[in-house]
């Protein structure tokens, strides 16, 4: 019966190992994530360890050297399996080990496996040694993941913990076989040892699920972070698109959003145009013209309220939208602006302007108010003489 259980259990574990190894190979090829590399290698190593086991049972070598070589290969592949599982979990918290360190670790593992193969000269001793190593490595990894609270690693830690408990039980069961005559007293232990591969298979599926979920959580976090960065970049680009690079004011593209914002409260709309601006450019140069535009923008910002929106509409045209204010409440702002520009005359050409204003009632028509202010500005410009005076 125990032999039948062993055959069934081992067959199930081999089939499971093949499926998991193929799955991780396909997954690694599909998503191409470096985090998967140790886990792919781990499941291949697990499959290799099972192949060594099958070779032993079918070959049944009589040569001590062949037996030592098979034990060494099993120790190496199975220990490599658990170490790579732990290394894969480690990569979610720390940087991977350098390749040189990994090569040294592989050589050390090969030497240790050879030494263990010489010491463990029976199947029971092999079981005790390998189960102890598995319990130590995966148990420490489970504690590490839980202590560091690695996001998305709960299932992986649970799989490690489950496999650790099984490894402890297997160690104790194999240990009973080391004392002559004791193993025969506990038939249940023999049945457990014959069937434990099937239990290991269940734990390994939980570990495989944990690996996938940990990777998925990492990808999800990266996507969320990328989305945040894209939204920030979009805001920056939108700011660049809606912002005039010369004056730093909102430009014409930003005006619709401003008008939508004042739609519930109403606003007073001012439309400004600099007088004789072309002559300033022609007489003093375009740099002087740019300085006049920047100076006029600063003057508007200083003379109107902080909550008022100042917009460079086009060329030498500016718009001010004063929310929740009627024209009578802002009458002195134009006088302040004229005084401010007069005080700035020593910095360059005299800056004069024409202005029109209109009132946008709450829930009114923004385009109509803007058009009315524009028309009023042209009427004001028509009533002013053309002149250019250097100061």
């Amino acid at each position: 019966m125990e032999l039948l259980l062993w055959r069934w259990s081992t067959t199930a574990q081999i089939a499971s190992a093949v499926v998991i190894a193929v799955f991780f190979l396909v997954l690694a090829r599909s998503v191409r994530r470096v985090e998967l590399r140790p886990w792919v290698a781990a499941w291949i190593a697990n499959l290799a360890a099972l192949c060594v086991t099958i070779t032993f049972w079918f070959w049944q070598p009589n040569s001590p050297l062949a037996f030592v070589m098979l034990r060494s290969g099993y120790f190496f592949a199975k220990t490599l399996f658990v170490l790579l599982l732990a290394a894969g979990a480690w990569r979610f918290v720390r940087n991977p080990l350098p390749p040189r360190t990994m090569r040294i670790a592989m050589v050390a593992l090969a030497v240790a496996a050879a030494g263990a193969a010489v010491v463990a000269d029976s199947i029971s001793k092999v079981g005790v040694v390998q189960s102890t190593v598995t319990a130590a490595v995966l148990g420490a990894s489970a504690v590490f993941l839980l202590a560091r609270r690695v996001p998305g690693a709960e299932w992986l830690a649970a799989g490690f913990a489950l496999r650790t408990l099984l490894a402890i039980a297997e160690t104790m069961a194999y240990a009973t076989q080391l004392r002559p005559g004791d193993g025969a007293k506990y038939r249940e232990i023999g049945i457990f040892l014959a069937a434990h591969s099937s239990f290991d298979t269940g734990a390994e599926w939980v570990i495989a699920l944990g690996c996938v979920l940990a990777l998925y959580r990492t990808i999800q976090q990266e996507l969320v972070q990328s989305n945040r960065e894209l939204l920030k970049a979009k805001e920056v680009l939108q700011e660049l698109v809606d912002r005039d690079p010369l004056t730093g004011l909102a430009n014409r593209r930003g005006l619709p959003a401003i008008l939508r914002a004042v739609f519930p409260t109403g606003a007073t709309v001012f439309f400004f145009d600099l007088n004789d601006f072309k002559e300033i450019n022609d007489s003093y140069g375009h740099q002087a013209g740019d300085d006049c535009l920047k100076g006029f923008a600063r003057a508007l910002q200083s003379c109107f309220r902080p909550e008022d929106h100042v917009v460079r509409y086009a060329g030498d045209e500016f718009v001010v939208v004063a929310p929740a204010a009627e024209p009578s409440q802002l009458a002195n702002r134009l006088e302040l602006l004229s005084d401010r520009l007069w005080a700035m005359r020593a910095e360059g050409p005299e800056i004069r302007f024409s202005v029109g204003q209109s009132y946008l009632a709450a829930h009114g028509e923004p385009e109509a108010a803007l058009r009315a202010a524009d028309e009023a500005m042209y009427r004001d410009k028509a009533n002013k003489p053309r002149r250019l005076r250097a100061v």
Side-chain angles (χ1 to χ4, degrees), residues 35 38-39 42-43 78-97 102 133-134 136-142 144-145 156 160 207 211:
E35 296 94 331
W39 284 338
W43 294 109
K78 201 67 177 179
T79 305
L80 182 62
F81 166 59
V82 295
L83 289 176
L84 287 172
L85 285 178
W90 176 267
R91 293 195 68 156
F92 284 88
V93 181
R94 302 284 181 85
N95 293 326
L97 296 175
M102 292 296 295
V133 171
T134 300
V137 175
L138 295 186
S141 299
F144 172 76
L145 291 175
L156 185 57
F160 284 169
I207 292 173
C211 293

Side-chain angles (χ1 to χ4, degrees), residues 126-155:
V126 170
V128 169
V129 173
Q130 190 57 59
S131 297
T132 301
V133 171
T134 300
V137 175
L138 295 186
S141 299
V143 172
F144 172 76
L145 291 175
L146 293 174
R148 297 301 297 264
R149 298 182 180 180
V150 179
E154 295 82 4
W155 276 98

Side-chain angles (χ1 to χ4, degrees), residues 107-129:
V107 173
L109 176 58
V111 173
V118 173
V119 174
D121 56 357
S122 68
I123 294 176
S124 296
K125 289 181 180 179
V126 170
V128 169
V129 173

Side-chain angles (χ1 to χ4, degrees), residues 11 60 75 89 315 371 379:
T11 302
Q60 290 290 316
F75 278 131
R371 187 167 53 252
R379 288 195 297 271

